[in-house]
């Protein structure tokens, strides 16, 4: 994989150069390109020829190089995350700036960037709170995705119809337009795999490092062995945890979880008794840190109950449906446990830039996360892998 990565880096450099050279011919013009359009909820996506309008003031048009397919894209397609249709999903990408709108100073054409699904205005209370990234401009904070740019319009059309944006990113398109508040400039040599830092890796890794604040020598349990769960394992490992228990229902993913840093794995299918009892039995009363990465309410409770009563910390990452209610007896917290959560691992834009640097200097690997490499035409296969729970992360290379 390492030698392959080197080759891809060179290839990406070439792509970067090409894109820079082509910038002059496309800036200010509508670009026609391919995108995976979700016309209706819960239906397969269609590869379509779309038009992408030039960026307006404080917007950036990006040529996407690669995009991961995240559990949250599956949730949006199935309306667990509510977003307007028709829509171009995708929020875990990397690309190169093709052109910029008036007033953009953060990036210039040719820069390699990761679009951020959490904006950073830099001025609000959330932006100025350490370890928080909940900018007042975030639609996740205000509770409703509009699928539109800040001026209330879309930059995408297909067959004469307006197509919505998703999470301010829409990376399932060869070109996308994002706000300049939603962008992190990254190393020009960052390879295609670094798209995973656009969501899943940062989310799970940050959940361990920034939110749980996993300590050296501690015990951890990670629930849900998808892209976010694998990344949480990496975070626990790099924080120096001495025990990292991966908990999941698909045993075939366990060897990879161990390569990622899990010290042992527990199958939810192997036990009659509740899983929190199994974890507490294995860890002298409970783990120091539990990180939930499934989006299932029952697993969120299991994570909390798996922590040691006097000081355990449970972190929720999963996105539950609007109808889901987490109901718990307060006694679970009175004993001293902490229940918390975070979006995007608490990372702001500078944190994403730094994560890419850390990846380039081999502080962690993304290799074990990638279970499938696809092209855009195969995107529905990636959704099928999420549905079945058998994949870890699929990435699409454009
Ligand atoms: P994923 O690839 O779908 O992985 C989730 C894993 O949880 C599955 O691989 C499966 O693992 C288990 N699982 C979930 N639902 C299941 C079910 N109904 N039956 C059986 N197993 C199930 O998702 P992901 O991309 O890792 O994301 C995990 C969660 O985090 C999702 O809810 C996603 O929406 C959310 N998310 C949150 C943020 C944030 O900022 N907070 C960012 C990204 C994603 P096992 O085989 O191990 O059981
Ligand atoms: Zn995601």
């Amino acid at each position: 994989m390492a030698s392959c990565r080197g080759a891809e880096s060179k290839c990406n450099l070439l792509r970067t150069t090409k894109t820079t050279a082509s910038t002059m011919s496309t800036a200010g013009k509508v670009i026609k390109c391919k995108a995976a359009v979700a016309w209706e909820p819960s239906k397969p996506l269609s590869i379509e020829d779309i038009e992408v309008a030039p960026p307006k003031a404080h917007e950036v048009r990006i040529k996407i190089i690669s995009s991961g397919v995240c559990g949250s894209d599956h949730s949006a397609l199935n309306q667990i995350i509510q977003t307007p249709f028709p829509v171009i999903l995708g929020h875990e990408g990397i690309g190169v700036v093709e052109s910029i709108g008036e007033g953009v100073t953060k990036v210039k054409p040719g820069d390699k960037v990761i679009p951020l699904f959490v904006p950073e205005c830099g001025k609000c209370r959330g932006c100025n709170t350490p370890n928080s990234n909940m900018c007042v401009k975030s639609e996740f904070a205000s509770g409703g995705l509009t699928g539109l740019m800040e001026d209330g319009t879309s930059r995408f059309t297909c067959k004469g119809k307006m197509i919505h944006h998703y999470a301010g990113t829409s990376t399932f398109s060869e070109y996308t337009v994002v706000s300049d508040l939603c962008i992190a400039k990254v190393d020009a040599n960052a390879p295609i795999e670094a798209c995973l830092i656009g969501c899943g890796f940062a989310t799970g890794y940050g959940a361990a490092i920034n939110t749980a604040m996993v300590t050296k020598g501690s015990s951890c349990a990670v629930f849900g062995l998808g892209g976010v769960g694998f990344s949480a394992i990496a975070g626990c490992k790099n924080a120096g945890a001495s025990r990292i228990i991966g908990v999941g229902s698909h045993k075939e993913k366990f060897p990879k979880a161990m390569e990622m840093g899990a010290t042992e794995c527990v199958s939810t299918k192997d036990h009659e008794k509740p899983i929190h009892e199994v974890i507490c039995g294995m860890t002298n009363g409970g783990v120091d840190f539990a990180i939930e990465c499934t989006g299932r309410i029952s697993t969120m409770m299991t994570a909390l109950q798996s922590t040691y009563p006097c000081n355990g910390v449970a972190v929720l990452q999963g996105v539950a449906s609007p109808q889901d209610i987490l109901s718990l007896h307060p006694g679970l917290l009175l004993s001293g446990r902490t229940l918390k959560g975070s979006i995007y691992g608490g990372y702001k834009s500078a944190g994403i830039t730094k994560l890419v640097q850390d990846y380039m200097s081999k502080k962690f690997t993304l290799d074990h996360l990638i279970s499938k490499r696809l092209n855009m035409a195969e995107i529905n296969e990636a959704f099928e892998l999420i549905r079945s729970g058998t994949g870890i992360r699929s990435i699409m290379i454009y």
Side-chain angles (χ1 to χ4, degrees):
M1 190 57 78
S3 59
C4 166
R5 180 183 299 153
E8 277 162 351
S9 297
K10 270 188 212 140
C11 167
N12 283 334
L13 270 177
L14 290 176
R15 287 186 203 185
T16 305
T17 316
K18 257 197 205 161
T19 309
T20 312
S22 67
T23 292
M24 299 228 293
S25 58
T26 51
K29 296 179 186 163
V30 170
I31 291 180
K32 293 189 180 203
C33 67
K34 298 272 180 213
V37 176
W39 289 104
E40 288 177 72
S42 308
K43 294 274 166 63
L45 277 59
S46 316
I47 306 301
E48 306 281 6
D49 291 314
I50 65 153
E51 296 84 38
V52 184
K56 293 190 182 176
H58 292 286
E59 295 177 359
V60 178
R61 188 160 61 182
I62 305 167
K63 181 180 197 310
I64 298 291
I65 296 167
S66 60
S67 176
V69 184
C70 174
S72 296
D73 294 311
H74 183 261
S75 298
L77 183 64
N78 294 289
Q79 297 198 298
I80 290 166
I81 293 173
Q82 294 186 324
T83 198
F85 284 73
V87 60
I88 296 173
L89 298 170
H91 60 282
E92 191 175 80
I94 189 164
V96 174
V97 174
E98 173 272 336
S99 61
I100 54 175
E102 208 186 309
V104 174
T105 53
K106 240 186 189 173
V107 293
K108 58 181 187 320
D111 283 349
K112 195 165 267 188
V113 291
I114 286 185
L116 309 175
F117 63 92
V118 176
E120 185 181 354
C121 75
K123 296 176 193 149
C124 73
R125 187 169 167 183
C127 283
N128 287 300
T129 302
N131 286 332
S132 163
N133 56 1
M134 259 306 102
C135 175
V136 72
K137 299 257 182 184
S138 169
E139 292 188 348
F140 287 105
S142 63
L145 298 183
T146 61
L148 300 170
M149 299 301 286
E150 207 174 352
D151 69 352
T153 62
S154 166
R155 301 292 160 267
F156 300 126
T157 50
C158 177
K159 296 175 182 163
K161 293 199 176 94
M162 184 268 270
I163 308 293
H164 291 91
H165 295 248
Y166 170 64
T169 49
S170 292
T171 58
F172 295 165
S173 173
E174 288 174 330
Y175 285 85
T176 190
V177 176
V178 308
S179 155
D180 66 353
L181 303 181
C182 300
I183 199 155
K185 185 174 166 180
V186 300
D187 191 307
N189 293 325
I192 51 170
E193 292 82 359
C195 63
L196 297 178
I197 295 170
C199 178
F201 185 80
T203 299
Y205 193 80
I209 304 273
N210 301 329
T211 317
M213 293 192 252
V214 168
T215 50
K216 205 167 172 9
S218 61
S219 56
C220 302
V222 173
F223 295 83
L225 301 178
V228 174
F230 265 62
S231 307
I233 289 174
C236 296
K237 182 185 171 192
N238 277 11
S242 54
R243 260 187 111 175
I244 305 168
I245 308 170
V247 187
S249 57
H250 296 87
K251 275 187 178 173
E252 65 275 19
K253 293 188 280 186
F254 290 0
K256 284 263 181 233
M258 305 283 283
E259 285 178 53
M260 198 79 195
T263 54
E264 58 222 284
C265 287
V266 169
S267 168
T268 52
K269 291 188 173 155
D270 280 357
H271 300 274
E272 298 266 296
K273 62 179 173 184
I275 289 300
H276 70 271
E277 287 182 19
V278 176
I279 303 294
C280 291
M282 289 165 68
T283 55
N284 191 25
V287 288
D288 298 308
F289 301 97
I291 305 177
E292 174 279 328
C293 311
T294 67
R296 277 176 295 164
I297 288 287
S298 58
T299 311
M300 294 179 185
M301 269 308 287
T302 303
L304 179 63
Q305 290 171 305
S306 298
T307 60
Y308 195 62
C310 80
N311 66 349
V313 176
V315 173
L316 311 184
Q317 287 311 299
V319 179
S321 81
Q323 295 77 33
D324 280 333
I325 302 291
L326 183 65
S327 87
L328 55 93
H329 192 276
L332 278 169
L333 301 179
L334 290 189
S335 61
R337 290 184 176 99
T338 304
L339 178 62
K340 50 203 308 206
S342 58
I343 287 189
Y344 207 6
Y347 284 109
K348 297 185 176 90
S349 141
I352 296 303
T353 303
K354 169 79 170 43
L355 266 189
V356 173
Q357 271 165 3
D358 288 350
Y359 172 54
M360 304 287 289
S361 56
K362 301 196 172 5
K363 287 199 181 144
F364 56 82
T365 175
L366 298 170
D367 295 349
H368 309 309
L369 253 80
I370 302 167
S371 45
K372 199 94 191 179
R373 289 163 191 260
L374 305 163
N375 58 48
M376 194 192 281
E378 297 167 313
I379 189 167
N380 290 307
E381 209 182 302
F383 277 89
E384 187 45 47
L385 286 167
I386 295 177
R387 223 177 336 267
S388 66
T390 52
I392 304 164
R393 202 45 132 224
S394 304
I395 62 169
M396 293 187 299
I397 300 155
Y398 298 163

